[in-house]
Amino acid sequence: ADEAGEVAFHLDRSGDHEAAFGALLVAADAAQSMAPAVAFRLLERALELWQSADAASKHENRSQRMWQAAELASGALNDHRAVDLAMAAFAMGPVPLGQAWGHERLGRYLSGAGRLELSAVEFEHAATLLDASDNGAAASETRAGLAQAELMLTHFTGAERWTQQVLQHAPAVSADRAAWAIAARVQGAIASGRGDVEGGEALLRHAIAAAPNAQARALATIYLGDAMAGAGDYTGAIAIARDGLADANRAGVKQSFTGRLAAQAAEALIRTGDWDEAAAMLDQHDGEGYDSGGLRICRAKALLEARRGDQDSSMSLLALAMARRTDAYHQLFLDATNAEVHLAFGKWGEAAEAALRGWDSTIAEAGSRAARFAMLYIEAVVEQSLDERARRLPDHAEAVRNSAITMLHRARRAVAPPTGSTAPGTQACLTQGVASLTRLGQPDPDAWATAAACWERLSDPWSSAVARLRESEAALSIGAASRAVESLQEAHRRASHIDAGPLLEQIAAFSRRARISVLTPRIVELDVQSIDHFGLTPREAEVLSLVTAGQTNREIGTRLYVSEKTAGVHVSNILRKLGVTSRIEAAAIAQRLGMH
């Protein structure tokens, strides 16, 4: 390929257009499987010379070369350029590989360019043009492409129908390498989404090995990374994404694929608590322009900023991501991030809405993804119910609990894998969903300890710190004081290690009201609306702020220049007005109602 490219370069610079034309085509063909960006530039120059190389070009099929250029542009440049080339090729007449093939390819380019309605029209047209009796390579590639399109719509059943047709005609790689690689890639993504982690990963690795070019290899690598991260293998996902980045850079397809691969690695690094490394990787990409890479970069940045506690930046990035047009497959990732970001900032309604949207899109055919959405939804609605209790609003806890139990049962059935072993990431989500429900009924520190252990096996410090915090709360509620101290200190240690701002604030709030020495207590104030709502006097509001800071009656009396007995009377009145029986319950209500 290098030698052919050098010959073409020197002939072109010498002004011998006819000789250069032929050499450029030879060089483009030699380079396209390993260096598509180079191949595209060579082919683009050959197309420029078409008229001036009349004697040489009359033996070539210009339409075929235009389609070749469109394919290369899609992988190495961008899909906007591929759309322009494909439209120009259509204007030249019949598609050399058949009209169905051409419409499927144009649909793919339009989808990548964000023109989703037009892409759907092209895919539908391609499907109607396919001849069921046609078993040629072009027909197999078209069917494989339509399987890919169905996957992007998260229509797993439809995607499987197309892949089965491909594999009937190409049961082995040797029968049709390009079509087989796409079919294996799609089938691997489907298997992983349904909970068959081992089967899915095996198919995706086969798809990488069988890929006929750098573009196909990069796509299969991205799907494999998604599958590994979804299963909770964050370390594996990071390694796969980094390998993919190196390969994309070598092959010259970084413009099309490095955004997706970098975001994939960064999100896994966020999960493992390697936030500085994730930030450094994300800082190399601005997330501008339409493509799924830009969307993923915005998502990952929003999640990182949320966990660091920068609400303005996180919400701005999330809004930028949500403003983009995207396919259903990438919408699932966006919905998950949307829910996690809003949970980090206590926006329960928005989190529940995003999680429920993701749940509705996945429960029928992508159970492993549905399990995460179930967990996020349950966390959000449990917090909403606890807020309602604190405000003495009608209690919907029983309805919330029943609906969540049904959701968890459905998720478990949807992810039952052939091997009988649920993926660790999925199991962690289901376990945390169960633990979250105990907050509405009988406190169960063991349920939270089990959830924390699941997250710790995945090396996810944020999630394990959350679970340890909840374990501490539950332990204190049942009188297990030493366990409460131990689990809260572990939560603090993990959250401090990653400098998780919002989580450290939650831990500090609980440590104050539980009087567990993790952080130095600070005095807080209750908002005026809540003071009026409970009929507290100004002095009682002041006392409640000190109770919430973890101070004893003696400490409160010293601070307010009253006797310990008088302070105790104020505390008793506060408990009566709040309808609780302990200082800890009173502090919990105050924190939830707006301590700041």
mmCIF file of all heavy atoms in Angstrom, residues 354-387:
data_model
loop_
_atom_site.group_PDB
_atom_site.id
_atom_site.type_symbol
_atom_site.label_atom_id
_atom_site.label_comp_id
_atom_site.label_asym_id
_atom_site.label_seq_id
_atom_site.Cartn_x
_atom_site.Cartn_y
_atom_site.Cartn_z
ATOM 1 N N ALA A 354 -36.567 10.028 33.704
ATOM 2 C CA ALA A 354 -35.557 9.517 32.772
ATOM 3 C C ALA A 354 -35.393 8.006 32.920
ATOM 4 O O ALA A 354 -35.281 7.276 31.926
ATOM 5 C CB ALA A 354 -34.226 10.222 32.999
ATOM 6 N N ALA A 355 -35.369 7.529 34.163
ATOM 7 C CA ALA A 355 -35.195 6.093 34.397
ATOM 8 C C ALA A 355 -36.383 5.295 33.874
ATOM 9 O O ALA A 355 -36.204 4.215 33.285
ATOM 10 C CB ALA A 355 -34.995 5.828 35.885
ATOM 11 N N LEU A 356 -37.587 5.818 34.057
ATOM 12 C CA LEU A 356 -38.772 5.109 33.579
ATOM 13 C C LEU A 356 -38.800 5.060 32.055
ATOM 14 O O LEU A 356 -39.209 4.049 31.464
ATOM 15 C CB LEU A 356 -40.033 5.788 34.111
ATOM 16 C CG LEU A 356 -41.349 5.043 33.874
ATOM 17 C CD1 LEU A 356 -41.298 3.651 34.500
ATOM 18 C CD2 LEU A 356 -42.517 5.838 34.429
ATOM 19 N N ARG A 357 -38.334 6.130 31.424
ATOM 20 C CA ARG A 357 -38.261 6.135 29.961
ATOM 21 C C ARG A 357 -37.299 5.048 29.467
ATOM 22 O O ARG A 357 -37.595 4.318 28.523
ATOM 23 C CB ARG A 357 -37.816 7.516 29.477
ATOM 24 C CG ARG A 357 -37.842 7.692 27.975
ATOM 25 C CD ARG A 357 -37.692 9.149 27.579
ATOM 26 N NE ARG A 357 -36.501 9.763 28.139
ATOM 27 C CZ ARG A 357 -36.512 10.762 29.031
ATOM 28 N NH1 ARG A 357 -37.651 11.259 29.464
ATOM 29 N NH2 ARG A 357 -35.379 11.264 29.492
ATOM 30 N N GLY A 358 -36.160 4.937 30.127
ATOM 31 C CA GLY A 358 -35.211 3.894 29.768
ATOM 32 C C GLY A 358 -35.762 2.508 30.039
ATOM 33 O O GLY A 358 -35.560 1.581 29.248
ATOM 34 N N TRP A 359 -36.448 2.354 31.151
ATOM 35 C CA TRP A 359 -37.056 1.066 31.496
ATOM 36 C C TRP A 359 -38.045 0.633 30.412
ATOM 37 O O TRP A 359 -38.016 -0.509 29.946
ATOM 38 C CB TRP A 359 -37.752 1.184 32.838
ATOM 39 C CG TRP A 359 -38.719 0.076 33.146
ATOM 40 C CD1 TRP A 359 -40.069 0.059 32.912
ATOM 41 C CD2 TRP A 359 -38.411 -1.200 33.730
ATOM 42 N NE1 TRP A 359 -40.615 -1.127 33.322
ATOM 43 C CE2 TRP A 359 -39.626 -1.926 33.820
ATOM 44 C CE3 TRP A 359 -37.240 -1.796 34.185
ATOM 45 C CZ2 TRP A 359 -39.698 -3.203 34.353
ATOM 46 C CZ3 TRP A 359 -37.305 -3.083 34.714
ATOM 47 C CH2 TRP A 359 -38.507 -3.772 34.792
ATOM 48 N N ASP A 360 -38.929 1.534 30.015
ATOM 49 C CA ASP A 360 -39.934 1.208 29.000
ATOM 50 C C ASP A 360 -39.294 0.789 27.678
ATOM 51 O O ASP A 360 -39.852 -0.027 26.940
ATOM 52 C CB ASP A 360 -40.853 2.411 28.757
ATOM 53 C CG ASP A 360 -41.793 2.677 29.919
ATOM 54 O OD1 ASP A 360 -42.032 1.741 30.726
ATOM 55 O OD2 ASP A 360 -42.280 3.812 30.045
ATOM 56 N N SER A 361 -38.114 1.329 27.390
ATOM 57 C CA SER A 361 -37.441 1.036 26.117
ATOM 58 C C SER A 361 -36.647 -0.259 26.157
ATOM 59 O O SER A 361 -36.236 -0.752 25.105
ATOM 60 C CB SER A 361 -36.487 2.186 25.755
ATOM 61 O OG SER A 361 -37.186 3.394 25.603
ATOM 62 N N THR A 362 -36.412 -0.812 27.348
ATOM 63 C CA THR A 362 -35.499 -1.962 27.452
ATOM 64 C C THR A 362 -36.119 -3.231 28.007
ATOM 65 O O THR A 362 -35.607 -4.319 27.735
ATOM 66 C CB THR A 362 -34.288 -1.604 28.338
ATOM 67 O OG1 THR A 362 -34.760 -1.119 29.607
ATOM 68 C CG2 THR A 362 -33.420 -0.550 27.686
ATOM 69 N N ILE A 363 -37.179 -3.131 28.778
ATOM 70 C CA ILE A 363 -37.658 -4.307 29.501
ATOM 71 C C ILE A 363 -38.092 -5.422 28.565
ATOM 72 O O ILE A 363 -37.946 -6.612 28.866
ATOM 73 C CB ILE A 363 -38.798 -3.938 30.486
ATOM 74 C CG1 ILE A 363 -39.200 -5.159 31.317
ATOM 75 C CG2 ILE A 363 -39.980 -3.350 29.743
ATOM 76 C CD1 ILE A 363 -38.064 -5.812 32.074
ATOM 77 N N ALA A 364 -38.612 -5.085 27.381
ATOM 78 C CA ALA A 364 -39.108 -6.128 26.480
ATOM 79 C C ALA A 364 -37.976 -6.962 25.888
ATOM 80 O O ALA A 364 -38.110 -8.175 25.720
ATOM 81 C CB ALA A 364 -39.939 -5.497 25.356
ATOM 82 N N GLU A 365 -36.830 -6.321 25.578
ATOM 83 C CA GLU A 365 -35.812 -7.047 24.820
ATOM 84 C C GLU A 365 -34.382 -6.879 25.319
ATOM 85 O O GLU A 365 -33.482 -7.542 24.814
ATOM 86 C CB GLU A 365 -35.864 -6.626 23.348
ATOM 87 C CG GLU A 365 -37.172 -6.969 22.667
ATOM 88 C CD GLU A 365 -37.040 -6.963 21.162
ATOM 89 O OE1 GLU A 365 -37.120 -5.877 20.559
ATOM 90 O OE2 GLU A 365 -36.838 -8.047 20.596
ATOM 91 N N ALA A 366 -34.147 -5.998 26.275
ATOM 92 C CA ALA A 366 -32.774 -5.759 26.738
ATOM 93 C C ALA A 366 -32.744 -5.756 28.262
ATOM 94 O O ALA A 366 -32.536 -4.728 28.901
ATOM 95 C CB ALA A 366 -32.243 -4.441 26.178
ATOM 96 N N GLY A 367 -32.931 -6.932 28.839
ATOM 97 C CA GLY A 367 -33.096 -7.038 30.279
ATOM 98 C C GLY A 367 -31.932 -6.534 31.100
ATOM 99 O O GLY A 367 -32.123 -5.963 32.175
ATOM 100 N N SER A 368 -30.691 -6.728 30.625
ATOM 101 C CA SER A 368 -29.560 -6.289 31.434
ATOM 102 C C SER A 368 -29.546 -4.771 31.561
ATOM 103 O O SER A 368 -29.149 -4.233 32.594
ATOM 104 C CB SER A 368 -28.245 -6.786 30.825
ATOM 105 O OG SER A 368 -28.025 -6.217 29.566
ATOM 106 N N ARG A 369 -29.966 -4.084 30.524
ATOM 107 C CA ARG A 369 -30.075 -2.618 30.616
ATOM 108 C C ARG A 369 -31.272 -2.239 31.494
ATOM 109 O O ARG A 369 -31.226 -1.266 32.243
ATOM 110 C CB ARG A 369 -30.211 -2.009 29.230
ATOM 111 C CG ARG A 369 -28.998 -2.216 28.343
ATOM 112 C CD ARG A 369 -29.157 -1.447 27.035
ATOM 113 N NE ARG A 369 -28.114 -1.772 26.092
ATOM 114 C CZ ARG A 369 -26.890 -1.235 26.093
ATOM 115 N NH1 ARG A 369 -26.587 -0.327 27.005
ATOM 116 N NH2 ARG A 369 -25.987 -1.589 25.211
ATOM 117 N N ALA A 370 -32.358 -3.000 31.388
ATOM 118 C CA ALA A 370 -33.551 -2.702 32.182
ATOM 119 C C ALA A 370 -33.258 -2.785 33.674
ATOM 120 O O ALA A 370 -33.824 -2.028 34.469
ATOM 121 C CB ALA A 370 -34.678 -3.660 31.808
ATOM 122 N N ALA A 371 -32.373 -3.689 34.075
ATOM 123 C CA ALA A 371 -32.052 -3.832 35.497
ATOM 124 C C ALA A 371 -31.464 -2.546 36.062
ATOM 125 O O ALA A 371 -31.793 -2.131 37.184
ATOM 126 C CB ALA A 371 -31.075 -4.992 35.692
ATOM 127 N N ARG A 372 -30.589 -1.888 35.312
ATOM 128 C CA ARG A 372 -30.010 -0.622 35.785
ATOM 129 C C ARG A 372 -31.090 0.460 35.879
ATOM 130 O O ARG A 372 -31.143 1.225 36.846
ATOM 131 C CB ARG A 372 -28.881 -0.162 34.867
ATOM 132 C CG ARG A 372 -28.283 1.193 35.276
ATOM 133 C CD ARG A 372 -27.004 1.504 34.538
ATOM 134 N NE ARG A 372 -25.913 0.682 35.024
ATOM 135 C CZ ARG A 372 -25.158 0.995 36.089
ATOM 136 N NH1 ARG A 372 -25.396 2.096 36.783
ATOM 137 N NH2 ARG A 372 -24.181 0.207 36.461
ATOM 138 N N PHE A 373 -31.967 0.516 34.875
ATOM 139 C CA PHE A 373 -33.031 1.519 34.920
ATOM 140 C C PHE A 373 -33.980 1.260 36.088
ATOM 141 O O PHE A 373 -34.484 2.200 36.703
ATOM 142 C CB PHE A 373 -33.799 1.539 33.600
ATOM 143 C CG PHE A 373 -33.051 2.225 32.485
ATOM 144 C CD1 PHE A 373 -32.679 1.533 31.345
ATOM 145 C CD2 PHE A 373 -32.706 3.564 32.587
ATOM 146 C CE1 PHE A 373 -31.992 2.164 30.318
ATOM 147 C CE2 PHE A 373 -32.015 4.205 31.567
ATOM 148 C CZ PHE A 373 -31.652 3.500 30.425
ATOM 149 N N ALA A 374 -34.238 -0.010 36.394
ATOM 150 C CA ALA A 374 -35.084 -0.335 37.543
ATOM 151 C C ALA A 374 -34.455 0.198 38.827
ATOM 152 O O ALA A 374 -35.129 0.805 39.665
ATOM 153 C CB ALA A 374 -35.294 -1.845 37.626
ATOM 154 N N MET A 375 -33.158 -0.040 38.990
ATOM 155 C CA MET A 375 -32.460 0.441 40.188
ATOM 156 C C MET A 375 -32.550 1.963 40.296
ATOM 157 O O MET A 375 -32.878 2.510 41.367
ATOM 158 C CB MET A 375 -30.993 0.023 40.133
ATOM 159 C CG MET A 375 -30.147 0.560 41.280
ATOM 160 S SD MET A 375 -28.363 0.381 40.996
ATOM 161 C CE MET A 375 -28.080 1.641 39.734
ATOM 162 N N LEU A 376 -32.283 2.673 39.208
ATOM 163 C CA LEU A 376 -32.305 4.131 39.233
ATOM 164 C C LEU A 376 -33.705 4.661 39.529
ATOM 165 O O LEU A 376 -33.882 5.615 40.296
ATOM 166 C CB LEU A 376 -31.799 4.682 37.894
ATOM 167 C CG LEU A 376 -30.330 4.379 37.566
ATOM 168 C CD1 LEU A 376 -30.011 4.777 36.123
ATOM 169 C CD2 LEU A 376 -29.397 5.107 38.530
ATOM 170 N N TYR A 377 -34.700 4.028 38.931
ATOM 171 C CA TYR A 377 -36.083 4.458 39.157
ATOM 172 C C TYR A 377 -36.485 4.244 40.613
ATOM 173 O O TYR A 377 -37.080 5.122 41.252
ATOM 174 C CB TYR A 377 -37.026 3.686 38.227
ATOM 175 C CG TYR A 377 -38.484 4.014 38.443
ATOM 176 C CD1 TYR A 377 -39.022 5.215 37.981
ATOM 177 C CD2 TYR A 377 -39.322 3.142 39.137
ATOM 178 C CE1 TYR A 377 -40.362 5.522 38.188
ATOM 179 C CE2 TYR A 377 -40.659 3.440 39.350
ATOM 180 C CZ TYR A 377 -41.166 4.635 38.866
ATOM 181 O OH TYR A 377 -42.481 4.947 39.089
ATOM 182 N N ILE A 378 -36.150 3.084 41.149
ATOM 183 C CA ILE A 378 -36.520 2.786 42.541
ATOM 184 C C ILE A 378 -35.840 3.758 43.490
ATOM 185 O O ILE A 378 -36.467 4.250 44.441
ATOM 186 C CB ILE A 378 -36.173 1.321 42.874
ATOM 187 C CG1 ILE A 378 -37.111 0.378 42.117
ATOM 188 C CG2 ILE A 378 -36.269 1.062 44.372
ATOM 189 C CD1 ILE A 378 -36.697 -1.073 42.161
ATOM 190 N N GLU A 379 -34.567 4.061 43.263
ATOM 191 C CA GLU A 379 -33.878 5.025 44.119
ATOM 192 C C GLU A 379 -34.603 6.367 44.114
ATOM 193 O O GLU A 379 -34.792 6.995 45.170
ATOM 194 C CB GLU A 379 -32.440 5.213 43.640
ATOM 195 C CG GLU A 379 -31.522 4.039 43.959
ATOM 196 C CD GLU A 379 -30.098 4.289 43.512
ATOM 197 O OE1 GLU A 379 -29.838 5.319 42.869
ATOM 198 O OE2 GLU A 379 -29.236 3.446 43.812
ATOM 199 N N ALA A 380 -35.021 6.809 42.922
ATOM 200 C CA ALA A 380 -35.671 8.116 42.806
ATOM 201 C C ALA A 380 -37.031 8.138 43.500
ATOM 202 O O ALA A 380 -37.342 9.076 44.258
ATOM 203 C CB ALA A 380 -35.814 8.489 41.332
ATOM 204 N N VAL A 381 -37.862 7.124 43.277
ATOM 205 C CA VAL A 381 -39.211 7.161 43.857
ATOM 206 C C VAL A 381 -39.181 6.902 45.361
ATOM 207 O O VAL A 381 -40.062 7.382 46.086
ATOM 208 C CB VAL A 381 -40.162 6.168 43.136
ATOM 209 C CG1 VAL A 381 -40.377 6.593 41.689
ATOM 210 C CG2 VAL A 381 -39.660 4.735 43.214
ATOM 211 N N VAL A 382 -38.199 6.156 45.844
ATOM 212 C CA VAL A 382 -38.059 5.985 47.292
ATOM 213 C C VAL A 382 -37.728 7.327 47.944
ATOM 214 O O VAL A 382 -38.306 7.693 48.985
ATOM 215 C CB VAL A 382 -36.974 4.930 47.617
ATOM 216 C CG1 VAL A 382 -36.552 5.015 49.076
ATOM 217 C CG2 VAL A 382 -37.495 3.532 47.309
ATOM 218 N N GLU A 383 -36.818 8.082 47.336
ATOM 219 C CA GLU A 383 -36.491 9.406 47.877
ATOM 220 C C GLU A 383 -37.721 10.316 47.840
ATOM 221 O O GLU A 383 -37.969 11.074 48.790
ATOM 222 C CB GLU A 383 -35.355 10.033 47.065
ATOM 223 C CG GLU A 383 -34.006 9.342 47.205
ATOM 224 C CD GLU A 383 -33.348 9.604 48.543
ATOM 225 O OE1 GLU A 383 -33.950 10.285 49.389
ATOM 226 O OE2 GLU A 383 -32.224 9.114 48.744
ATOM 227 N N GLN A 384 -38.494 10.249 46.771
ATOM 228 C CA GLN A 384 -39.721 11.050 46.693
ATOM 229 C C GLN A 384 -40.677 10.679 47.823
ATOM 230 O O GLN A 384 -41.281 11.559 48.460
ATOM 231 C CB GLN A 384 -40.411 10.832 45.343
ATOM 232 C CG GLN A 384 -39.769 11.555 44.173
ATOM 233 C CD GLN A 384 -40.517 11.313 42.872
ATOM 234 O OE1 GLN A 384 -40.872 10.185 42.549
ATOM 235 N NE2 GLN A 384 -40.756 12.371 42.123
ATOM 236 N N SER A 385 -40.832 9.399 48.093
ATOM 237 C CA SER A 385 -41.730 8.948 49.156
ATOM 238 C C SER A 385 -41.254 9.417 50.526
ATOM 239 O O SER A 385 -42.063 9.819 51.377
ATOM 240 C CB SER A 385 -41.832 7.416 49.140
ATOM 241 O OG SER A 385 -42.500 6.978 47.989
ATOM 242 N N LEU A 386 -39.945 9.369 50.741
ATOM 243 C CA LEU A 386 -39.409 9.837 52.019
ATOM 244 C C LEU A 386 -39.607 11.334 52.184
ATOM 245 O O LEU A 386 -39.856 11.819 53.306
ATOM 246 C CB LEU A 386 -37.926 9.468 52.121
ATOM 247 C CG LEU A 386 -37.633 7.966 52.218
ATOM 248 C CD1 LEU A 386 -36.133 7.707 52.151
ATOM 249 C CD2 LEU A 386 -38.222 7.375 53.501
ATOM 250 N N ASP A 387 -39.504 12.080 51.095
ATOM 251 C CA ASP A 387 -39.797 13.516 51.153
ATOM 252 C C ASP A 387 -41.264 13.752 51.532
ATOM 253 O O ASP A 387 -41.587 14.645 52.321
ATOM 254 C CB ASP A 387 -39.513 14.168 49.793
ATOM 255 C CG ASP A 387 -38.047 14.501 49.602
ATOM 256 O OD1 ASP A 387 -37.261 14.267 50.539
ATOM 257 O OD2 ASP A 387 -37.681 14.985 48.512
#
